[in-house]
Amino acid sequence: MKFIWASVAKFITLGIESSCDETGIGLYSEQDGLIAHQLFSQVEIHAEYGGVVPELASRDHIQRVLPD
């Protein structure tokens, strides 16, 4: 008996990046390339304070990354 193995797996990579005031995500397929991406900016959240407020930034990062 002879077996022929064929790879049909399609690997997709999830990338998550965060800086002090942005959160970015991307999905990349080894077969299809970039599938989707999104960037969430916190500029409006911090504008009234004149700079990044670490507590507000960390809360927003958590809300953007964790599922509902």
Side-chain angles (χ1 to χ4, degrees):
M1 184 180 250
K2 193 178 203 182
F3 291 99
I4 299 174
W5 297 96
S7 176
V8 293
K10 180 174 159 183
F11 291 99
I12 297 176
T13 302
L14 168 63
I16 302 172
E17 182 276 334
S18 65
S19 64
C20 66
D21 63 347
E22 292 182 332
T23 303
I25 61 168
L27 290 174
Y28 185 85
S29 164
E30 68 177 351
Q31 189 174 21
D32 303 319
L34 184 63
I35 298 171
H37 63 94
Q38 186 70 49
L39 180 65
F40 300 100
S41 176
Q42 299 177 2
V43 170
E44 291 181 15
I45 294 172
H46 301 293
E48 66 181 284
Y49 302 103
V52 176
V53 179
E55 181 62 27
L56 296 177
S58 65
R59 288 181 188 181
D60 191 64
H61 285 310
I62 291 169
Q63 289 176 343
R64 300 292 182 179
V65 175
L66 294 179
D68 290 334

